[in-house]
């Protein structure tokens, strides 16, 4: 079985072909729009939508060529149906529907977050239920993944996502965009202790996140240096910011492990997914945490952490196998919680 997956919900135009037999990923083509957004210091939705329109056809062509197949060899088409920047989601969904209609193939609308959630199963035999820390530019959640389409939320952010904390922090430090990799790079030559920052939510009950206070603390630390931020200050503050974010994520995850244990004493695995899962300090910390709790730890390779088409194709394939194809009247969804029954956290806004 061969599935084409299309991802256009943010600033990556991506397409991939995956198969239900090893080695699973036949191709995985990602065109990053970073250069197109860099002049604005962040993602501009309108620019992203137009860029997806320009780049999607050639990206799909390359994905098919690298897999060594044509449209006729496909068994289904999957696309991110949301949540995300709606202009881009519409481009991807419309393209997928057109291919499905023209070729008489099943169409699957994939929740982008489910794409991240299931990406671990593309690289390791991870069984349900597993505990998931999903950390990306738009989302920051702890979920118990009980099955395809079956999620139980333990915590979410009440303001910024972890990736946003990296991105906004990098902007404040003048390190550019995208912030996560820039902070990680700068942090290697910094000493966190020289520029202490608060560790949000650490020691508190529950599994929710909050990063806006940390952002304010960083802004005040930058202002204190009154426009004379040396390279050493930049590095120290980057190291400190990364330390604080990682400490907060790890503390919340430790609480979630306890809840996961209570509910699923046989549960075996902690999974991290989403762009921030590319962070080495975070991976190291979670490895220790899982080992201490006697859980296996699975983090997808970096190329599957940040947005990509393979995770969408794979989630599409898993949904198809569960008999969950979608009709061609599926409407793209700017918001689409994984766990529709969860009570929104106060102040969580669109992050719910
Ligand atoms: O999953 P993703 O590619 O897109 C969304 O669905 O949001 O995640 C992008 C986020 C950005 O905020 C980026 O700064 C962050 O992931 N990121 C990182 C690293 N690489 C990407 N954050 C920390 N360390 C990294 N190495
Ligand atoms: Zn993502």
């Amino acid at each position: 079985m061969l599935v084409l997956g299309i991802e256009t919900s943010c600033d990556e135009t991506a397409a991939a072909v995956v198969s239900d037999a090893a080695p699973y990923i036949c191709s995985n083509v990602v065109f990053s729009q970073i250069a197109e957004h860099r002049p604005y210091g962040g993602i501009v939705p309108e620019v992203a939508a137009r860029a997806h329109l320009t780049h999607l056809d050639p990206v799909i062509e390359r994905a098919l060529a690298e897999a060594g197949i044509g449209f006729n060899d496909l068994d289904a088409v999957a696309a991110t149906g949301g949540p995300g920047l709606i202009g881009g989601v519409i481009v991807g969904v419309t393209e997928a529907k057109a291919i499905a209609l023209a070729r008489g193939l099943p169409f699957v609308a994939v929740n982008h977050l489910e794409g991240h959630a299931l990406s671990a199963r593309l690289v390791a035999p991870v069984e349900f239920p597993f505990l998931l820390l999903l950390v990306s530019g738009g989302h920051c959640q702890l979920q118990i993944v009980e099955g395809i389409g079956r999620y139980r939320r333990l915590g979410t952010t009440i303001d910024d996502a972890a990736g946003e904390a990296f991105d906004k922090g990098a902007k404040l430090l003048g390190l550019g965009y995208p912030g996560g990799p820039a902070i990680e790079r700068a942090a290697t030559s910094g000493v966190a202790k020289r520029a202490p920052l608060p560790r949000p939510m650490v020691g508190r009950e529950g599994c929710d996140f909050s990063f806006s206070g940390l952002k304010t603390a960083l802004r005040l630390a930058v202002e204190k240096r009154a426009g004379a931020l040396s390279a050493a200050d930049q590095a120290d503050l980057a190291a400190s910011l990364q330390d604080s974010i990682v400490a907060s994520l790890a503390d919340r995850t430790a609480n979630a492990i306890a809840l996961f244990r209570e509910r699923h004493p046989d549960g075996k695995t902690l999974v991290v997914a989403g762009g921030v899962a590319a962070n080495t300090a975070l991976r190291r910390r979670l490895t220790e945490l899982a080992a201490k709790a006697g859980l296996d730890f699975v983090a997808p390779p970096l190329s599957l952490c940040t947005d990509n088409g393979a995770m969408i194709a794979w989630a599409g394939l898993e949904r198809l196998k569960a008999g969950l194809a979608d009709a061609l009247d599926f409407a793209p969804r700017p918001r689409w919680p994984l766990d529709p029954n969860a009570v929104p956290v106060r102040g969580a806004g669109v992050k719910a």
Side-chain angles (χ1 to χ4, degrees):
M1 195 169 180
L2 292 171
V3 179
L4 172 69
I6 295 172
E7 158 57 37
T8 55
S9 68
C10 196
D11 63 339
E12 263 97 25
T13 310
V17 177
V18 306
S19 145
D20 58 348
Y24 305 113
I25 300 176
C26 309
S27 65
N28 191 16
V29 178
V30 180
F31 175 84
S32 167
Q33 304 176 1
I34 283 176
E36 276 151 277
H37 297 283
R38 188 168 279 130
Y40 308 99
I43 299 160
V44 183
E46 186 60 21
V47 172
R50 284 169 194 276
H52 286 306
L53 209 51
T54 310
H55 300 300
L56 187 53
D57 278 344
V59 164
I60 290 174
E61 254 172 55
R62 246 185 75 200
L64 293 174
E66 286 182 17
I69 62 165
F71 283 112
N72 285 336
D73 301 305
L74 291 172
D75 295 292
V77 189
T80 296
L85 301 174
I86 195 62
V89 176
I90 290 171
V91 172
V93 164
T94 308
E95 178 97 7
K97 286 179 180 175
I99 296 168
L101 186 65
R103 304 281 163 170
L105 298 173
F107 160 73
V108 191
V110 171
N111 182 316
H112 181 82
L113 305 176
E114 179 154 70
H116 279 302
L118 300 181
S119 59
R121 284 164 57 86
L122 182 49
V123 292
V126 178
E127 283 167 29
F128 299 120
F130 61 87
L131 178 63
L132 169 72
L133 171 65
L134 174 54
V135 273
S136 71
H139 299 273
C140 192
Q141 309 184 346
L142 278 154
Q143 296 266 2
I144 296 177
V145 186
E146 296 181 334
I148 309 295
R150 288 174 44 215
Y151 297 84
R152 190 179 294 272
R153 185 204 296 169
L154 299 180
T156 188
T157 180
I158 58 170
D159 41 57
D160 291 345
E164 251 175 314
F166 275 105
D167 292 337
K168 290 178 177 173
K171 205 167 180 174
L172 281 168
L173 291 176
L175 290 170
Y177 159 87
I183 294 280
E184 182 162 20
R185 229 175 295 120
T188 54
S189 56
V191 179
K193 278 196 201 122
R194 282 205 294 250
L197 290 169
R199 305 188 150 201
M201 310 295 266
V202 169
R204 290 227 216 149
E205 259 182 39
C207 306
D208 287 330
F209 303 89
S210 168
F211 293 105
S212 71
L214 177 60
K215 181 184 60 189
T216 305
L218 179 66
R219 183 171 53 74
L220 293 175
V222 171
E223 282 170 10
K224 210 172 82 189
R225 285 157 179 84
L229 200 66
S230 68
D233 289 336
Q234 251 182 348
D236 291 345
L237 283 165
S240 183
L241 180 74
Q242 177 172 275
D243 255 27
S244 288
I245 295 172
V246 169
S248 183
L249 293 173
D251 179 84
R252 315 280 77 205
T253 304
N255 289 356
I257 288 175
L259 293 174
F260 178 56
R261 271 280 148 74
E262 256 170 46
R263 202 177 284 273
H264 296 287
D266 301 330
K268 286 199 212 43
T269 316
L270 169 66
V271 167
V272 66
V276 180
N279 187 277
T280 310
L282 177 63
R283 290 164 95 99
R284 199 179 306 128
R285 192 63 168 273
L286 294 175
T287 304
E288 291 163 10
L289 205 59
K292 218 170 98 190
L295 293 174
D296 294 333
F297 175 59
V298 177
L302 302 193
S303 60
L304 294 178
C305 284
T306 47
D307 289 348
N308 65 88
M311 70 180 192
I312 302 304
W314 178 258
L317 197 152
E318 292 227 45
R319 291 189 77 79
L320 271 177
K321 289 196 157 178
L324 296 168
D326 290 273
L328 290 182
D329 64 357
F330 170 86
R333 300 180 62 173
R335 290 175 204 168
W336 187 358
L338 271 179
D339 46 349
N341 299 326
V343 181
V345 175
R346 209 171 140 256
V350 298
K351 314 275 192 306

